[in-house]
Amino acid sequence: MAPKRVDRQARRDEILSAAVLLFAERGYAATRIEDVAAAAGIAKGSVYLYYESREALLTAVFERWAERSRAVVEAALSGERPAMQRLEELLRSVIALLAGEPGLTRVMLDLWAAGRRSEGGAPPPFDMAAVYREYRTVVAALLREAAEEGAVRAGAGEPEAAVVVGAIEGCLVQWVVDPEFPFAEIADQMVEVCTRGVLRGAAGGAA
Amino acid sequence: MAPKRVDRQARRDEILSAAVLLFAERGYAATRIEDVAAAAGIAKGSVYLYYESREALLTAVFERWAERSRAVVEAALSGERPAMQRLEELLRSVIALLAGEPGLTRVMLDLWAAGRRSEGGAPPPFDMAAVYREYRTVVAALLREAAEEGAVRAGAGEPEAAVVVGAIEGCLVQWVVDPEFPFAEIADQMVEVCTRGVLRGAAGGAA
Amino acid sequence: MAPKRVDRQARRDEILSAAVLLFAERGYAATRIEDVAAAAGIAKGSVYLYYESREALLTAVFERWAERSRAVVEAALSGERPAMQRLEELLRSVIALLAGEPGLTRVMLDLWAAGRRSEGGAPPPFDMAAVYREYRTVVAALLREAAEEGAVRAGAGEPEAAVVVGAIEGCLVQWVVDPEFPFAEIADQMVEVCTRGVLRGAAGGAA
Amino acid sequence: MAPKRVDRQARRDEILSAAVLLFAERGYAATRIEDVAAAAGIAKGSVYLYYESREALLTAVFERWAERSRAVVEAALSGERPAMQRLEELLRSVIALLAGEPGLTRVMLDLWAAGRRSEGGAPPPFDMAAVYREYRTVVAALLREAAEEGAVRAGAGEPEAAVVVGAIEGCLVQWVVDPEFPFAEIADQMVEVCTRGVLRGAAGGAA
DNA sequence: GATGAATGAGTGTTCATTCAT
DNA sequence: TATGAATGAACACTCATTCAT
């Protein structure tokens, strides 16, 4: 009549954090449920009280990241500043988010990979492609707005947005592949190259 | 001469091609040695006559790709054109290489992932980080050269190079994650954004 | 008196009934303690307040059935009618019992199976063989009595009793294996075949 | 080029025999794949080279038994003797088959049980009910034929057939549950009770 | 060289049972 | 007494690798 009380969500988070740590360290493929359990300080079977399966853990990582990502995007977009300013802010926010969560970020590789899956049967448990689609849409919208405001070259659209998004993700890749890579430290250059390019005599106002 | 050699190499290549195909399709983790053997039209055990282990196959994929990559870089760098022209050519070549080998390219995910590995013991069987380091070095060198020629903003160096390299890799990611993504079709925008940025009136007639 | 007792027994019965239902539906092997608990409307752990173990549940099913069975046998045997009449009554009672408790009956399979068990170590928790031994003994006794009364062929004994008992159990098997099988509906034929056989010109009085 | 040769069917049979032995001894539920492998003198994984799954092993037992059963039935039915003679022969053959394969026979329990399965999803992997349906059909046909020949009571049909079939299965149950039970030894009584019943003076010299 | 049967370590998942509340 | 979270032994199945032929 006095059932044991447990903060389910808290426990879920603990487990997930342990999983993120391990996934980041050695990758999803090399991480056993038992490792996660041990890292979370519980028994193997207990993981299943909170997550349906090993894959559900990866999905949860995706969700944690997607949530963070969404929050950052929304925060960056609100406000009345000029579009270009909001874009720059968005880029800096995303970079800061990624730089601030190295664990979550290094799992990205596995999230990208899990988005695939064919043959086997089961469809991917989450839609990574949609995330990038949305990023591009948002950035493209800002670019168009900025073009209207005269700040950006007319005609800039999704392709340009893809490159901007890509620049960040691509730096991320370099960081994931090489922890020495100074991802956080080159935020300025990411923004600058995206806005002004590398050529000399680039237009004034930006960055 | 060494007819056996020729034969042997041919067979190695066949197997590797089969492996690339499968790795691209379903990922390294989901590809069994037996699948590779079947796709190559040989028996499971025979794979081991040509490759030490399953992982050696992935390493070989890396090597095939690194080789192609090196060739492209070298080709793009030679010649006497202005540095900026060579850089643009390099970017276009790399993009063309990637776009032209979708299979190899989609394995990139697994190559990135295999570059990690800790705890387990064995060190990564190949050094992905080195590849990007080299890319950056080459691009940075071109940027500096171009700066001396007055084409590029003074001070551009490794960080800017990282962003340029990242832009391509980041678009690659979007393509790998979403086969619908028009990677090859946005080559121009990759180059343009990297060189001139998105701002209006940025850098003159270049690119 | 012992209100707790009453309560306790009532609860035990509820749980057991839930178990019988589930065992009948999907078999003992496929029935989890948690299923039983849920079906009984209590928590998993509470089952253990009433039954030592999962196996104890099966044993209790056996006991419930053995009890019913014993009651029926005793009821059928009492009285002063001719032995043959008592035998027929016994058969009909047992058939009615089984037909009237489809749930309990369909668990028979698991009770038979649990009677085995070797190697593992623990001896069977209840003695199914003894039940059939007793059935045979009772029936054989009736047959002998009936023989003395001139109703039954002289010499009929345990073997004949086994066949009579078997006829019922065998029909039961057909029913358990195939719910469409009209077990209850062929009570007459079970009795008739056992007493008069199938041959033409069988002696009068029976059935 | 000289692939190892193995008599696949022979190996399958060896494994199956080992399985039958163990299933008979301790039941399907208590028999681990590893036990079967050990009993067959091979490694765990090798079992899977010959059988898809643990359940496939049980299905194979069913098939081995169904095959034997079918052969016996066919053999008993052929010939030109009076129907009643063929029926008796059929009964004796089936009894002999069962008595001669104690292992196979004691697995019957698990075959009966596996014929059920609900809820879980997957349909039963084989159809035990169909076997008994066929038995009844065959016996009923013989009874009708015998009735036309004047040997059997007019009107005897499926219900009577069910009882006859049941008598054998029911004795089987008693044997399975109690290895001491003299199944083989009471063949005569099974036949006699089924044909002439137990009543005195019942049906004349038949059987 | 080529084969594919054999191996057995490795792992996700289940579930009876325990026990703190 | 009742609960249900926690445990961890158990087990089916997979697959890289080996090796007899």
Side-chain angles (χ1 to χ4, degrees):
Chain A
M1 268 191 178
K4 201 184 301 185
R5 262 309 128 210
V6 168
D7 185 336
R8 198 175 162 73
Q9 189 54 47
R11 187 70 83 157
R12 271 181 69 92
D13 284 349
E14 279 169 34
I15 296 172
L16 190 56
S17 295
V20 167
L21 220 63
L22 294 173
F23 291 170
E25 220 169 73
R26 57 239 246 186
Y28 172 70
T31 303
R32 316 283 131 235
I33 282 283
E34 187 148 26
D35 300 332
V36 174
I42 60 177
K44 181 166 47 161
S46 303
V47 173
Y48 288 89
L49 295 176
Y50 298 92
Y51 292 93
E52 280 269 299
S53 66
R54 186 164 161 271
E55 185 177 76
L57 228 28
L58 190 59
T59 301
V61 175
F62 168 80
E63 271 152 15
R64 182 184 274 197
W65 170 73
E67 190 187 343
R68 298 254 204 295
S69 172
R70 221 174 301 124
V72 160
V73 172
E74 273 163 27
L77 292 187
S78 64
E80 294 298 317
R81 292 134 301 147
M84 200 56 211
Q85 219 172 90
R86 273 177 289 150
L87 174 58
E88 189 182 325
E89 216 167 294
L90 174 60
L91 298 186
R92 288 190 188 279
S93 297
V94 169
I95 293 167
L97 167 67
L98 296 168
E101 298 246 36
L104 215 43
T105 298
R106 303 190 68 203
V107 185
M108 213 59 75
L109 270 183
D110 290 308
L111 296 179
W112 289 333
R116 261 191 313 193
R117 201 82 46 85
S118 62
E119 174 117 11
F126 49 85
D127 189 356
M128 224 35 200
V131 173
Y132 289 106
R133 252 191 316 267
E134 198 193 312
Y135 274 169
R136 289 195 297 266
T137 304
V138 168
V139 171
L142 286 172
L143 285 179
R144 278 192 218 97
E145 220 182 307
E148 277 168 26
E149 294 167 9
V152 153
R153 186 161 49 253
E158 280 242 357
E160 284 74 17
V163 181
V164 170
V165 169
I168 294 176
E169 295 302 308
C171 287
L172 196 70
V173 166
Q174 293 174 72
W175 182 32
V176 169
V177 155
D178 176 6
E180 311 279 284
F181 182 84
F183 179 75
E185 287 77 9
I186 63 168
D188 284 343
Q189 286 86 354
M190 289 191 231
V191 172
E192 195 179 283
V193 171
C194 287
T195 51
R196 302 202 294 150
V198 295
L199 294 186
R200 186 177 176 223
Chain B
M1 282 132 181
K4 287 265 178 95
R5 276 293 150 215
V6 172
D7 229 33
R8 187 174 169 76
Q9 190 53 46
R11 189 68 79 133
R12 271 181 67 92
D13 285 350
E14 280 169 32
I15 296 173
L16 191 56
S17 295
V20 167
L21 219 64
L22 294 172
F23 291 171
E25 221 169 74
R26 57 239 247 188
Y28 173 69
T31 304
R32 320 280 130 239
I33 282 283
E34 185 147 26
D35 301 332
V36 175
I42 61 176
K44 179 164 48 160
S46 303
V47 173
Y48 287 87
L49 296 173
Y50 298 92
Y51 292 93
E52 277 271 296
S53 66
R54 184 163 162 273
E55 187 176 75
L57 269 173
L58 191 57
T59 302
V61 175
F62 168 80
E63 273 153 13
R64 179 183 278 198
W65 171 74
E67 191 188 341
R68 299 255 204 295
S69 171
R70 220 175 300 124
V72 161
V73 172
E74 274 164 25
L77 292 185
S78 64
E80 294 298 317
R81 293 135 299 150
M84 199 53 213
Q85 218 173 91
R86 273 177 288 151
L87 174 57
E88 189 183 326
E89 215 167 294
L90 173 59
L91 298 186
R92 288 190 188 278
S93 297
V94 170
I95 293 168
L97 167 66
L98 296 167
E101 297 246 35
L104 214 44
T105 298
R106 304 190 66 201
V107 185
M108 212 59 74
L109 271 183
D110 291 307
L111 296 179
W112 288 333
R116 263 191 312 195
R117 204 81 46 85
S118 64
E119 174 111 14
F126 50 86
D127 190 355
M128 225 30 203
V131 173
Y132 289 106
R133 250 188 322 265
E134 198 193 312
Y135 273 169
R136 290 194 298 267
T137 305
V138 167
V139 172
L142 285 173
L143 285 178
R144 280 193 215 94
E145 222 182 304
E148 276 169 27
E149 292 167 8
V152 153
R153 189 161 48 253
E158 279 241 358
E160 285 73 17
V163 181
V164 170
V165 168
I168 294 175
E169 295 302 306
C171 287
L172 196 69
V173 166
Q174 293 174 72
W175 182 33
V176 169
V177 155
D178 176 6
E180 311 279 286
F181 183 84
F183 179 74
E185 285 78 10
I186 63 169
D188 284 343
Q189 287 86 353
M190 289 190 231
V191 172
E192 194 179 283
V193 171
C194 286
T195 51
R196 303 202 292 149
V198 297
L199 293 187
R200 182 171 178 229
Chain C
M1 281 130 180
K4 289 265 178 94
R5 275 294 151 214
V6 173
D7 228 34
R8 187 174 170 75
Q9 190 54 45
R11 190 67 78 130
R12 273 181 66 94
D13 285 350
E14 280 168 33
I15 296 173
L16 191 57
S17 294
V20 166
L21 220 62
L22 294 173
F23 291 171
E25 221 168 73
R26 56 241 247 185
Y28 173 70
T31 304
R32 319 280 132 238
I33 283 283
E34 185 146 28
D35 301 332
V36 174
I42 61 177
K44 179 163 50 158
S46 303
V47 172
Y48 287 86
L49 297 173
Y50 298 93
Y51 292 94
E52 277 271 297
S53 67
R54 186 162 161 272
E55 186 176 75
L57 269 173
L58 190 59
T59 302
V61 175
F62 168 80
E63 272 153 14
R64 181 183 276 196
W65 170 74
E67 191 187 341
R68 298 255 203 295
S69 171
R70 219 174 302 122
V72 161
V73 171
E74 274 164 26
L77 292 185
S78 64
E80 294 298 320
R81 291 134 301 146
M84 199 54 212
Q85 218 171 93
R86 274 177 289 150
L87 174 57
E88 189 182 325
E89 214 166 296
L90 173 59
L91 299 186
R92 287 189 188 280
S93 298
V94 170
I95 293 168
L97 167 66
L98 296 168
E101 297 247 35
L104 213 45
T105 299
R106 303 189 68 200
V107 184
M108 213 59 75
L109 271 183
D110 290 307
L111 296 179
W112 288 333
R116 262 190 311 196
R117 204 83 46 85
S118 63
E119 174 111 12
F126 50 84
D127 191 354
M128 222 37 201
V131 173
Y132 289 105
R133 252 191 316 268
E134 197 193 313
Y135 273 170
R136 290 195 299 266
T137 305
V138 168
V139 172
L142 284 173
L143 285 178
R144 279 193 216 92
E145 221 181 305
E148 276 168 26
E149 292 168 10
V152 152
R153 189 161 48 252
E158 280 242 357
E160 283 75 16
V163 180
V164 170
V165 169
I168 294 176
E169 296 301 308
C171 286
L172 195 69
V173 166
Q174 293 174 74
W175 183 33
V176 169
V177 155
D178 176 6
E180 311 279 283
F181 183 84
F183 179 74
E185 286 77 10
I186 63 168
D188 285 342
Q189 285 87 353
M190 289 191 231
V191 172
E192 194 179 283
V193 171
C194 287
T195 51
R196 302 202 292 151
V198 296
L199 293 187
R200 183 171 178 231
Chain D
M1 271 194 175
K4 202 185 299 184
R5 262 310 129 209
V6 169
D7 186 336
R8 200 176 161 72
Q9 189 54 46
R11 187 70 82 161
R12 272 181 68 92
D13 284 349
E14 279 168 35
I15 296 173
L16 191 56
S17 294
V20 166
L21 219 62
L22 294 173
F23 290 170
E25 220 169 72
R26 58 239 246 185
Y28 173 69
T31 303
R32 318 283 131 234
I33 282 283
E34 187 148 25
D35 301 332
V36 174
I42 60 177
K44 179 169 45 160
S46 303
V47 172
Y48 289 90
L49 295 176
Y50 298 92
Y51 291 93
E52 280 269 300
S53 66
R54 187 164 159 271
E55 186 178 75
L57 229 26
L58 189 58
T59 301
V61 175
F62 167 80
E63 271 152 16
R64 181 183 275 198
W65 170 72
E67 190 187 344
R68 299 254 204 296
S69 172
R70 220 174 302 124
V72 160
V73 171
E74 272 163 29
L77 292 186
S78 64
E80 294 297 319
R81 291 133 302 148
M84 200 54 213
Q85 218 172 93
R86 274 177 289 151
L87 174 58
E88 187 181 326
E89 216 165 294
L90 173 60
L91 298 186
R92 290 191 187 277
S93 297
V94 170
I95 294 168
L97 167 66
L98 295 168
E101 298 247 35
L104 215 43
T105 298
R106 302 190 69 202
V107 184
M108 213 60 75
L109 270 183
D110 290 307
L111 296 179
W112 287 333
R116 261 193 312 194
R117 201 84 45 87
S118 62
E119 174 117 11
F126 49 85
D127 190 355
M128 222 37 200
V131 173
Y132 289 106
R133 251 190 317 266
E134 198 193 311
Y135 273 169
R136 290 195 296 266
T137 304
V138 167
V139 171
L142 285 172
L143 285 178
R144 278 190 219 99
E145 220 181 307
E148 275 168 28
E149 293 168 9
V152 153
R153 188 160 49 253
E158 280 242 356
E160 285 73 16
V163 181
V164 170
V165 169
I168 293 176
E169 295 302 307
C171 287
L172 195 69
V173 166
Q174 294 175 71
W175 183 33
V176 169
V177 155
D178 177 5
E180 311 279 284
F181 182 84
F183 180 75
E185 287 77 11
I186 63 168
D188 285 342
Q189 285 87 353
M190 289 192 231
V191 172
E192 194 180 285
V193 171
C194 286
T195 50
R196 302 203 293 151
V198 296
L199 294 187
R200 182 172 179 229

